[in-house]
Amino acid sequence: MHRKLLVAGFAAAALVLAGCSSDSSESSSEETAVAEETTEEQVEESEGGEEAAASVTTDDSDCAAPENYCIGLVTDTGKVDDKSFNQAAWEGTLQAAEKVGGFAKFIETTDPKDYANNIAQFAQANYDTIVTVGFLMAEASIAAAAEYPDIDFIGVDQFQGETIPNLTGLVFNEDRAGYAAGYLAGLMTQTGKIGAVLGTDTVPPVKLFGEGYKVGAQAANPAVDVTLVYHEPNNAFTDPEWGAAESRKQLDQGADVIFAAGGLTGNGGLIEIAKDSGAGTSVFCIGVDVDQYFTVPQAAPCLLTSAEKKLREGTEELVLLSYDGAFPGGNFFGPTGLAPFHDTEAAVPADVQAALAEVLTGLQDGTIDTGGLALLDN
Amino acid sequence: MEKSTPLVLTGLAVTVGLRTGLFNIGAQGQLLVGAIGAAWAGYNFQMPTLIHIPFAIVFGMLCGAAWASIAGALRAYRSVSEVITTIMLNAVAIALVDYLASQPLKEADQPLTRTPEIAETAALPDIGIVPSGFVIALFVSLFFGWFLARTTQGFRFNTVGMNPSAANYAGIGVKKTIFLAMAVSGALAGMGGAVETLGITGRFEPSFNAGLGFDGITIALLARANPIATIPAALLVGTLRSGAASLQFRTGIEPEVVDVILALTLLFVAAPIVGRLLFRNRATKQTTVSSGWGNS
C-alpha cells in the first residue's frame, strides 16, 4: 500500500515538474519570439507592408514571420462541430485561411475559466488573428485585446460598447433577418394571423428581430395581424415551457406562422409547434440565429426557415480584413438572411419564393429600409 | 496548481466520508452551494481583508455543511442511503444556485446569469506563483491527516467506517458520528467552492464549477482515502485538466482524452479491489479483507 502511494506520488510529481519545465521553456522561447517579431515588424513597415499572398503557411511554428499568417479560434464551451455558432465561425475561419494561404487552428474550451488561458495559447505562439466565439467570451476578449495589442481579435456575437482598435465585434442587423422572416410569414399565412414568441425586449437584438418581423410581415401583407409576445427579463432565454405555452396559445388564437426567437425559450416554442397536427402543411414555425433545422431537429416538421445571422460569411470577411491590414475595430455588421426551407420547401409556392428572394436582395443592398435601430423605440 | 486547489478540498471531502463508511457523491452540490455562499459573503459585505476572507470561506463552508447535513441527517436517523440522497441533492443544488444567480443574487444591468464580483477585500491573493488557496488546501489536508490518525473524533470516524456495530458496542454514538462526518465532508466541499470563488473566479457563475466535485470522487479513490495522498492525486488531476487545452493546441488531440485517462486511472486503481472480490478465497489467505476503502 505504502509503496503504491509512493509510486503514485512520484508519478504526480513528475507530471507537475514536466508541466513546470515546459512552461518555463515556453516563456523563454516566447520572449525571443516577441523580440523577433518587433524587428520583423519594423522590416515589414519599411517595405510598406506588402502581402506575400503566394506563400502558404502550413504550420504555426513561426507565426511571427511576416510571410506567415496564422489564425486561431477559441470556442465557447462546445465543440467546433456543434452545428451552431462555433461551427459556423470555424468554417468561416477555415475558408478565409484557405483563401489567403494561412494556417488555422482551434482550441475547444472545456471549462469557462479557461477562456483567457486558451486565448493566451494562441497569443503566445504569435498568431496574427484570434477569433473568440460567443458573447460569454466578451470580457475575456477585451482583456486579451488590451494585453496583446499587436494581435487582431474577432469577437463573434460580441457587441462592443467602446471601440478598441484591435478588437472587432461581429454583430448583425437582426432587424433585417427578422424583416425577411416576417415577409415570408406574411406571404405564407392563410388565416391572416401570425405570431412571434420572443426572449425579452430588454435585449436589443431580440427586440430588433421581433419588430423587424412585424414590419416585414406588414410590408408583405398590410392586412396581417401580428402578435408579438416578449418574455419578462428574468430567465428570458431559458424558459422552454413558457415558449411552448405561448406558442400553443397563439396557435389556438388562429396564428399559422410563428417566429420563435430566444434561446431555449424559443426552442421550446418550435418543438411545441412541430407537434401540431398541421405542422408543415397549414402551420409553420420560423427559427432564429442559425439554421435551426440542425440545432433543433425536433422542429423540422414545421420549420419553414430560420432568421439567420450568417456567422460563417461574417467571420470569413473579418478574417480577410484583418489579413489585409484593414481591421475595422468596434462593431462590424455581418450579413443576415434566411436559412434553406429543407422539409417544408414543397409547401412554399414558387411565387412566394421569388418574392422572398427579391426582398432578400433588397435588404442586402439597402433598398429596403426596415427602420433599423429606430425599431428599438417601438 | 490553480486547478488543483478545489480538487484537493473536494477530494478530502469525499475522503472523510469514505473513512466513515459514507460515499459522498454530493461533493459537487455542496461545492456549488459553498461557492455561491462565499460569493454572496464576498460581495455583500465591506470589511477588512483579514476578517473578510476567513468570513467568506467559513460562510461557504457552513453552506456546504448545511447542504450535506440534509443527506447526513437522513442517513443517520432515517437510514436513507447517502449515495442516493447526495446524488439527488446535486440536482437540487444545481437548480437552486441557478435560481439564486439568476434572480435574487444576480448582478444588475447585464444579461448573464451571475452574481456581482466579490469585494477586493475578500479576494484571495497569490503568494508568488502559488495561489494562497492552495496553501490553505495543503494545511487542511495535513490537518485531516492528523485528525483522522491521531484524535479521538478521528478515531470515531474510522471505527464507524470500519464496523458500525462494533463502534456502537464500543459506546460510540454512531448516528451522531455519521451526521457529523457528513457535515464535515460538506464543509470541505463548500470550502473548495469558496476558495475557487474567492481565489480564481471572483464571482459565482453556474458554469464555472463544472465537474470539480465529481473529480473529487476520483481523487479520493485514487488516494485510497488517505488525506495526505489527496494532494498528489489532486495535482495529477489538476495538471491533466489544465493541460487539456495545450494538448489540443500542440497536437490536435481532443481535450476529452483527459477524461478517458482519468477513467482508466480510476479503473486500474480499483482493479485490486475488484480482484480481491473475484478471487476472494485466495486473497483472504494472504491479506485481510477490509470493509472500507481506506483500510488496506
Side-chain angles (χ1 to χ4, degrees), chain A residues 88-101:
Chain A
W90 173 239
E91 285 172 358
T93 306
L94 267 184
Q95 272 172 4
E98 212 166 287
K99 273 191 189 159
V100 302

Side-chain angles (χ1 to χ4, degrees), chain B residues 27-277:
Chain B
Q28 180 67 29
Q30 293 140 22
L31 175 132
L32 286 173
V33 176
I36 201 165
W40 179 77
Y43 76 75
N44 206 27
F45 298 96
Q46 295 297 329
M47 43 180 102
T49 303
L50 275 178
I51 308 174
H52 205 169
I53 292 178
F55 171 75
I57 292 182
V58 168
F59 190 80
M61 289 173 72
L62 286 178
C63 291
W67 197 253
S69 297
I70 303 174
L74 283 169
R75 170 66 211 265
Y77 301 107
R78 282 281 173 272
S79 299
V80 182
S81 166
E82 80 286 353
V83 176
I84 311 286
T85 49
T86 50
I87 291 179
M88 296 204 290
L89 281 169
N90 276 343
V92 180
I94 290 168
L96 176 75
V97 296
D98 262 356
Y99 164 75
L100 288 174
S102 66
Q103 307 255 345
L105 304 184
K106 184 172 169 289
E107 185 179 19
D109 304 326
Q110 53 89 35
L112 299 178
T113 301
R114 65 182 195 193
T115 67
E117 192 151 6
I118 56 166
E120 252 171 60
T121 48
L124 280 168
D126 283 358
I127 305 168
I129 58 156
V130 183
S132 52
F134 190 76
V135 179
I136 296 175
L138 218 61
F139 276 112
V140 172
S141 64
L142 290 175
F143 169 78
F144 272 92
W146 169 80
F147 172 80
L148 285 172
R150 295 267 180 275
T151 65
T152 322
Q153 192 59 48
F155 180 71
R156 280 190 199 125
F157 280 16
N158 280 323
T159 314
V160 170
M162 277 188 266
N163 193 332
S165 327
N168 190 31
Y169 190 68
I172 295 172
V174 175
K175 289 178 174 175
K176 210 177 119 198
T177 307
I178 285 178
F179 179 75
L180 198 66
M182 206 61 201
V184 170
S185 178
L188 283 167
M191 187 180 188
V195 166
E196 181 78 352
T197 300
L198 302 178
I200 298 173
T201 61
R203 57 155 52 95
F204 182 85
E205 218 178 297
S207 59
F208 272 171
N209 302 288
L212 292 176
F214 295 117
D215 276 345
I217 300 170
T218 313
I219 288 159
L221 295 179
L222 193 58
R224 301 294 283 279
N226 178 330
I228 311 287
T230 55
I231 301 167
L235 278 173
L236 174 76
V237 176
T239 311
L240 282 172
R241 286 244 178 265
S242 63
S246 298
L247 188 72
Q248 183 166 39
F249 179 68
R250 277 162 212 275
T251 62
I253 297 170
E254 306 250 330
E256 282 74 16
V257 79
V258 168
D259 291 316
V260 177
I261 293 176
L262 284 178
L264 286 174
T265 314
L266 193 57
L267 202 62
F268 287 128
V269 168
I273 298 162
V274 176
R276 220 178 294 158
L277 285 175

Side-chain angles (χ1 to χ4, degrees), chain A residues 1-2 4-5 8-9 11-13 15-16 19 26 60 79 105-115 117-118 121-122 125 127 135-136 139 203 232 234-235 237, chain B residues 2-3 102-103 106 111-112 114 196 200-201 203 205 207-209 212 223-224 226 229 232-233 235-236 239-241 244-246 248-251 254-256 272 296:
Chain A
M1 174 70 220
H2 281 292
K4 268 185 224 146
L5 266 182
L15 264 170
V16 173
E26 189 181 63
D60 58 351
K79 316 292 289 177
K105 201 185 221 181
F106 61 81
I107 293 181
E108 290 166 331
T109 306
T110 48
D111 181 346
K113 290 190 292 271
D114 289 339
Y115 287 147
N117 288 341
N118 292 351
Q121 295 266 0
F122 285 122
Y127 271 62
F135 73 98
L136 289 175
E139 285 179 10
V203 174
E232 56 161 12
N234 281 326
N235 69 337
F237 300 100
Chain B
E2 239 175 45
K3 290 230 179 216
S102 66
Q103 307 255 345
K106 184 172 169 289
L112 299 178
R114 65 182 195 193
E196 181 78 352
I200 298 173
T201 61
R203 57 155 52 95
E205 218 178 297
S207 59
F208 272 171
N209 302 288
L212 292 176
R224 301 294 283 279
N226 178 330
L235 278 173
L236 174 76
T239 311
L240 282 172
R241 286 244 178 265
S246 298
Q248 183 166 39
F249 179 68
R250 277 162 212 275
T251 62
E254 306 250 330
E256 282 74 16
S296 50

Side-chain angles (χ1 to χ4, degrees), chain A residues 3-42:
Chain A
R3 205 187 315 154
K4 268 185 224 146
L5 266 182
L6 216 58
V7 172
F10 274 125
L15 264 170
V16 173
L17 287 176
C20 290
S21 62
S22 77
D23 268 356
S24 56
S25 68
E26 189 181 63
S27 59
S28 63
S29 70
E30 174 214 335
E31 276 159 30
T32 54
V34 167
E36 270 170 38
E37 192 182 33
T38 45
T39 55
E40 267 154 5
E41 241 169 49
Q42 286 156 0

Side-chain angles (χ1 to χ4, degrees), chain A residues 60-233:
Chain A
D60 58 351
S61 55
D62 190 15
C63 287
E67 70 273 16
N68 289 339
Y69 184 64
C70 303
I71 321 158
L73 178 135
V74 181
T75 70
D76 196 346
T77 49
K79 316 292 289 177
V80 288
D81 54 359
D82 64 355
K83 300 198 173 74
S84 183
F85 280 25
N86 287 324
Q87 181 168 355
W90 173 239
E91 285 172 358
T93 306
L94 267 184
Q95 272 172 4
E98 212 166 287
K99 273 191 189 159
V100 302
F103 175 79
K105 201 185 221 181
F106 61 81
I107 293 181
E108 290 166 331
T109 306
T110 48
D111 181 346
K113 290 190 292 271
D114 289 339
Y115 287 147
N117 288 341
N118 292 351
I119 295 173
Q121 295 266 0
F122 285 122
Q124 286 173 4
N126 297 301
Y127 271 62
D128 303 276
T129 306
I130 298 174
V131 182
T132 63
V133 185
F135 73 98
L136 289 175
M137 252 197 269
E139 285 179 10
S141 302
I142 291 170
E147 195 177 343
Y148 306 102
D150 294 336
I151 299 173
D152 286 343
F153 287 89
I154 299 171
V156 175
D157 204 30
Q158 298 166 16
F159 182 83
Q160 303 299 321
E162 285 169 39
T163 301
I164 301 168
N166 65 325
L167 168 62
T168 305
L170 175 60
V171 292
F172 298 88
N173 291 305
E174 287 86 3
D175 51 314
R176 294 191 190 164
Y179 184 96
Y183 197 86
L184 175 62
L187 293 178
M188 287 298 291
T189 179
Q190 300 294 321
T191 59
K193 271 187 179 178
I194 62 170
V197 178
L198 303 146
T200 170
D201 55 355
T202 54
V203 174
V206 177
K207 183 153 191 194
L208 287 173
F209 267 129
E211 301 299 325
Y213 176 77
K214 190 172 181 177
V215 176
Q218 285 163 346
N221 179 354
V224 76
D225 180 3
V226 187
T227 316
L228 302 182
V229 283
Y230 290 99
H231 194 281
E232 56 161 12

